[in-house]
Amino acid sequence: MKRVHVVAAVIYEPKNRVTDNPGAGVVGKVLISCRPNHLHKGGFWEFPGGKLEIGEDAKDGLVRELNEELGIEVTEAFPFIQVSHDYPDKKVFLDVWIVSSFTGEERGVEGQTISWVSLNEITNYSFPEANQSVLDKLLS
């Protein structure tokens, strides 16, 4: 089974953007989206993003995916964590970035529900298992 390379973003609310020491003691809100029910892990919340296209650079893929999914233009992003996870029916490699600046008004372009949530409340949301290391690092 081939491993799927997925780029995802921890996007901080504009007034709470960070540029150094990401995730360390940051308070504020991050953007999450709910996976459509017909997709793998449908109904779970996730950090926005998607699959890389063949030969696509991770940052370029992140910029493309966030534009397609949220209607925003990423202006600043940097790597945060990489996670490999094996589900019984799928293998994923999550390439997670911090988005510290963007332009445009975020919206669920593909009809997905999006929400700004505080890091203090994020554990109240159900995420796919592959996201646990991301959550652990954000909350440490």
Side-chain angles (χ1 to χ4, degrees), residues 61-84:
L62 182 76
V63 169
R64 177 187 52 76
E65 281 288 343
L66 296 182
N67 181 263
E68 291 173 1
E69 195 171 309
L70 300 173
I72 63 172
E73 293 292 333
V74 173
T75 54
E76 187 174 0
F78 45 94
F80 182 58
I81 189 173
Q82 294 180 328
V83 177
S84 289

mmCIF file of all heavy atoms in Angstrom, residues 61-84:
data_model
loop_
_atom_site.group_PDB
_atom_site.id
_atom_site.type_symbol
_atom_site.label_atom_id
_atom_site.label_comp_id
_atom_site.label_asym_id
_atom_site.label_seq_id
_atom_site.Cartn_x
_atom_site.Cartn_y
_atom_site.Cartn_z
ATOM 1 N N GLY A 61 2.474 22.876 -2.615
ATOM 2 C CA GLY A 61 1.243 22.115 -2.451
ATOM 3 C C GLY A 61 0.368 22.678 -1.346
ATOM 4 O O GLY A 61 -0.853 22.737 -1.467
ATOM 5 N N LEU A 62 1.008 23.103 -0.267
ATOM 6 C CA LEU A 62 0.268 23.707 0.839
ATOM 7 C C LEU A 62 -0.438 24.976 0.375
ATOM 8 O O LEU A 62 -1.628 25.170 0.631
ATOM 9 C CB LEU A 62 1.221 24.020 1.996
ATOM 10 C CG LEU A 62 0.557 24.618 3.228
ATOM 11 C CD1 LEU A 62 -0.188 23.542 4.006
ATOM 12 C CD2 LEU A 62 1.597 25.282 4.115
ATOM 13 N N VAL A 63 0.294 25.823 -0.329
ATOM 14 C CA VAL A 63 -0.278 27.074 -0.833
ATOM 15 C C VAL A 63 -1.468 26.768 -1.758
ATOM 16 O O VAL A 63 -2.540 27.376 -1.645
ATOM 17 C CB VAL A 63 0.801 27.911 -1.565
ATOM 18 C CG1 VAL A 63 0.191 29.070 -2.322
ATOM 19 C CG2 VAL A 63 1.844 28.403 -0.561
ATOM 20 N N ARG A 64 -1.290 25.806 -2.669
ATOM 21 C CA ARG A 64 -2.363 25.433 -3.604
ATOM 22 C C ARG A 64 -3.576 24.889 -2.861
ATOM 23 O O ARG A 64 -4.706 25.315 -3.086
ATOM 24 C CB ARG A 64 -1.842 24.387 -4.598
ATOM 25 C CG ARG A 64 -2.922 23.885 -5.565
ATOM 26 C CD ARG A 64 -2.438 22.731 -6.422
ATOM 27 N NE ARG A 64 -1.851 21.624 -5.678
ATOM 28 C CZ ARG A 64 -2.546 20.714 -4.976
ATOM 29 N NH1 ARG A 64 -3.871 20.786 -4.918
ATOM 30 N NH2 ARG A 64 -1.912 19.733 -4.345
ATOM 31 N N GLU A 65 -3.338 23.944 -1.948
ATOM 32 C CA GLU A 65 -4.446 23.316 -1.225
ATOM 33 C C GLU A 65 -5.238 24.323 -0.389
ATOM 34 O O GLU A 65 -6.467 24.281 -0.361
ATOM 35 C CB GLU A 65 -3.936 22.187 -0.320
ATOM 36 C CG GLU A 65 -3.657 20.904 -1.040
ATOM 37 C CD GLU A 65 -4.922 20.170 -1.493
ATOM 38 O OE1 GLU A 65 -6.033 20.457 -0.998
ATOM 39 O OE2 GLU A 65 -4.782 19.296 -2.375
ATOM 40 N N LEU A 66 -4.555 25.229 0.291
ATOM 41 C CA LEU A 66 -5.262 26.196 1.133
ATOM 42 C C LEU A 66 -6.037 27.202 0.291
ATOM 43 O O LEU A 66 -7.091 27.674 0.708
ATOM 44 C CB LEU A 66 -4.299 26.881 2.097
ATOM 45 C CG LEU A 66 -3.654 25.944 3.124
ATOM 46 C CD1 LEU A 66 -2.757 26.725 4.065
ATOM 47 C CD2 LEU A 66 -4.691 25.137 3.885
ATOM 48 N N ASN A 67 -5.545 27.490 -0.906
ATOM 49 C CA ASN A 67 -6.295 28.355 -1.802
ATOM 50 C C ASN A 67 -7.550 27.635 -2.297
ATOM 51 O O ASN A 67 -8.648 28.200 -2.288
ATOM 52 C CB ASN A 67 -5.427 28.806 -2.976
ATOM 53 C CG ASN A 67 -6.190 29.730 -3.898
ATOM 54 O OD1 ASN A 67 -6.719 29.296 -4.913
ATOM 55 N ND2 ASN A 67 -6.262 30.993 -3.526
ATOM 56 N N GLU A 68 -7.391 26.375 -2.693
ATOM 57 C CA GLU A 68 -8.533 25.596 -3.193
ATOM 58 C C GLU A 68 -9.560 25.313 -2.101
ATOM 59 O O GLU A 68 -10.760 25.372 -2.341
ATOM 60 C CB GLU A 68 -8.052 24.256 -3.759
ATOM 61 C CG GLU A 68 -7.244 24.362 -5.028
ATOM 62 C CD GLU A 68 -6.641 23.039 -5.480
ATOM 63 O OE1 GLU A 68 -6.855 21.995 -4.822
ATOM 64 O OE2 GLU A 68 -5.936 23.062 -6.503
ATOM 65 N N GLU A 69 -9.095 25.020 -0.906
ATOM 66 C CA GLU A 69 -9.970 24.589 0.177
ATOM 67 C C GLU A 69 -10.569 25.732 0.990
ATOM 68 O O GLU A 69 -11.707 25.656 1.440
ATOM 69 C CB GLU A 69 -9.154 23.670 1.095
ATOM 70 C CG GLU A 69 -9.963 22.854 2.056
ATOM 71 C CD GLU A 69 -9.106 21.825 2.770
ATOM 72 O OE1 GLU A 69 -8.367 21.072 2.111
ATOM 73 O OE2 GLU A 69 -9.174 21.782 4.015
ATOM 74 N N LEU A 70 -9.771 26.803 1.186
ATOM 75 C CA LEU A 70 -10.200 27.896 2.064
ATOM 76 C C LEU A 70 -10.311 29.252 1.365
ATOM 77 O O LEU A 70 -10.796 30.210 1.970
ATOM 78 C CB LEU A 70 -9.227 28.038 3.236
ATOM 79 C CG LEU A 70 -9.073 26.832 4.153
ATOM 80 C CD1 LEU A 70 -7.965 27.072 5.162
ATOM 81 C CD2 LEU A 70 -10.392 26.502 4.848
ATOM 82 N N GLY A 71 -9.797 29.349 0.143
ATOM 83 C CA GLY A 71 -9.839 30.627 -0.569
ATOM 84 C C GLY A 71 -8.860 31.657 -0.034
ATOM 85 O O GLY A 71 -9.071 32.852 -0.186
ATOM 86 N N ILE A 72 -7.776 31.208 0.597
ATOM 87 C CA ILE A 72 -6.781 32.149 1.129
ATOM 88 C C ILE A 72 -5.472 32.011 0.354
ATOM 89 O O ILE A 72 -5.204 30.983 -0.264
ATOM 90 C CB ILE A 72 -6.523 31.944 2.639
ATOM 91 C CG1 ILE A 72 -5.926 30.555 2.922
ATOM 92 C CG2 ILE A 72 -7.800 32.188 3.439
ATOM 93 C CD1 ILE A 72 -5.459 30.343 4.369
ATOM 94 N N GLU A 73 -4.670 33.059 0.418
ATOM 95 C CA GLU A 73 -3.333 33.070 -0.178
ATOM 96 C C GLU A 73 -2.312 33.094 0.960
ATOM 97 O O GLU A 73 -2.242 34.063 1.717
ATOM 98 C CB GLU A 73 -3.142 34.307 -1.068
ATOM 99 C CG GLU A 73 -4.008 34.323 -2.309
ATOM 100 C CD GLU A 73 -3.618 33.258 -3.322
ATOM 101 O OE1 GLU A 73 -2.435 32.854 -3.352
ATOM 102 O OE2 GLU A 73 -4.508 32.826 -4.070
ATOM 103 N N VAL A 74 -1.564 32.032 1.083
ATOM 104 C CA VAL A 74 -0.535 31.945 2.125
ATOM 105 C C VAL A 74 0.600 32.890 1.769
ATOM 106 O O VAL A 74 1.115 32.856 0.657
ATOM 107 C CB VAL A 74 -0.016 30.502 2.254
ATOM 108 C CG1 VAL A 74 1.169 30.438 3.218
ATOM 109 C CG2 VAL A 74 -1.131 29.566 2.682
ATOM 110 N N THR A 75 0.992 33.735 2.719
ATOM 111 C CA THR A 75 2.109 34.650 2.485
ATOM 112 C C THR A 75 3.326 34.302 3.336
ATOM 113 O O THR A 75 4.425 34.738 3.037
ATOM 114 C CB THR A 75 1.692 36.116 2.737
ATOM 115 O OG1 THR A 75 1.140 36.230 4.049
ATOM 116 C CG2 THR A 75 0.653 36.565 1.710
ATOM 117 N N GLU A 76 3.116 33.504 4.402
ATOM 118 C CA GLU A 76 4.245 33.058 5.213
ATOM 119 C C GLU A 76 3.898 31.732 5.879
ATOM 120 O O GLU A 76 2.853 31.605 6.514
ATOM 121 C CB GLU A 76 4.601 34.092 6.287
ATOM 122 C CG GLU A 76 5.858 33.748 7.039
ATOM 123 C CD GLU A 76 6.299 34.837 8.006
ATOM 124 O OE1 GLU A 76 5.634 35.868 8.103
ATOM 125 O OE2 GLU A 76 7.324 34.626 8.673
ATOM 126 N N ALA A 77 4.785 30.750 5.687
ATOM 127 C CA ALA A 77 4.586 29.442 6.297
ATOM 128 C C ALA A 77 5.936 28.798 6.557
ATOM 129 O O ALA A 77 6.900 29.064 5.839
ATOM 130 C CB ALA A 77 3.755 28.553 5.370
ATOM 131 N N PHE A 78 5.999 27.969 7.592
ATOM 132 C CA PHE A 78 7.235 27.263 7.884
ATOM 133 C C PHE A 78 6.909 25.889 8.452
ATOM 134 O O PHE A 78 5.849 25.677 9.046
ATOM 135 C CB PHE A 78 8.155 28.060 8.815
ATOM 136 C CG PHE A 78 7.485 28.696 9.990
ATOM 137 C CD1 PHE A 78 7.433 28.056 11.212
ATOM 138 C CD2 PHE A 78 6.908 29.963 9.873
ATOM 139 C CE1 PHE A 78 6.824 28.653 12.297
ATOM 140 C CE2 PHE A 78 6.288 30.559 10.960
ATOM 141 C CZ PHE A 78 6.241 29.898 12.177
ATOM 142 N N PRO A 79 7.816 24.917 8.245
ATOM 143 C CA PRO A 79 7.574 23.542 8.697
ATOM 144 C C PRO A 79 7.377 23.461 10.204
ATOM 145 O O PRO A 79 8.001 24.185 10.975
ATOM 146 C CB PRO A 79 8.847 22.799 8.284
ATOM 147 C CG PRO A 79 9.473 23.641 7.236
ATOM 148 C CD PRO A 79 9.111 25.058 7.567
ATOM 149 N N PHE A 80 6.500 22.527 10.618
ATOM 150 C CA PHE A 80 6.194 22.350 12.037
ATOM 151 C C PHE A 80 6.488 20.917 12.506
ATOM 152 O O PHE A 80 7.227 20.712 13.454
ATOM 153 C CB PHE A 80 4.730 22.705 12.280
ATOM 154 C CG PHE A 80 4.294 22.600 13.709
ATOM 155 C CD1 PHE A 80 4.921 23.336 14.703
ATOM 156 C CD2 PHE A 80 3.231 21.785 14.060
ATOM 157 C CE1 PHE A 80 4.512 23.247 16.032
ATOM 158 C CE2 PHE A 80 2.809 21.691 15.378
ATOM 159 C CZ PHE A 80 3.444 22.423 16.366
ATOM 160 N N ILE A 81 5.912 19.908 11.831
ATOM 161 C CA ILE A 81 6.108 18.513 12.227
ATOM 162 C C ILE A 81 5.763 17.610 11.044
ATOM 163 O O ILE A 81 4.931 17.977 10.205
ATOM 164 C CB ILE A 81 5.239 18.151 13.464
ATOM 165 C CG1 ILE A 81 5.595 16.765 14.018
ATOM 166 C CG2 ILE A 81 3.762 18.274 13.148
ATOM 167 C CD1 ILE A 81 4.884 16.412 15.335
ATOM 168 N N GLN A 82 6.417 16.453 10.994
ATOM 169 C CA GLN A 82 6.101 15.433 9.997
ATOM 170 C C GLN A 82 5.753 14.149 10.741
ATOM 171 O O GLN A 82 6.433 13.785 11.704
ATOM 172 C CB GLN A 82 7.280 15.195 9.054
ATOM 173 C CG GLN A 82 7.582 16.407 8.191
ATOM 174 C CD GLN A 82 8.761 16.180 7.257
ATOM 175 O OE1 GLN A 82 9.698 15.445 7.582
ATOM 176 N NE2 GLN A 82 8.710 16.813 6.100
ATOM 177 N N VAL A 83 4.681 13.503 10.289
ATOM 178 C CA VAL A 83 4.163 12.327 10.977
ATOM 179 C C VAL A 83 3.788 11.258 9.958
ATOM 180 O O VAL A 83 3.078 11.547 8.992
ATOM 181 C CB VAL A 83 2.892 12.684 11.793
ATOM 182 C CG1 VAL A 83 2.307 11.452 12.466
ATOM 183 C CG2 VAL A 83 3.158 13.780 12.798
ATOM 184 N N SER A 84 4.260 10.028 10.179
ATOM 185 C CA SER A 84 3.793 8.881 9.396
ATOM 186 C C SER A 84 2.794 8.119 10.245
ATOM 187 O O SER A 84 3.017 7.911 11.446
ATOM 188 C CB SER A 84 4.953 7.959 9.033
ATOM 189 O OG SER A 84 5.772 8.574 8.079
#
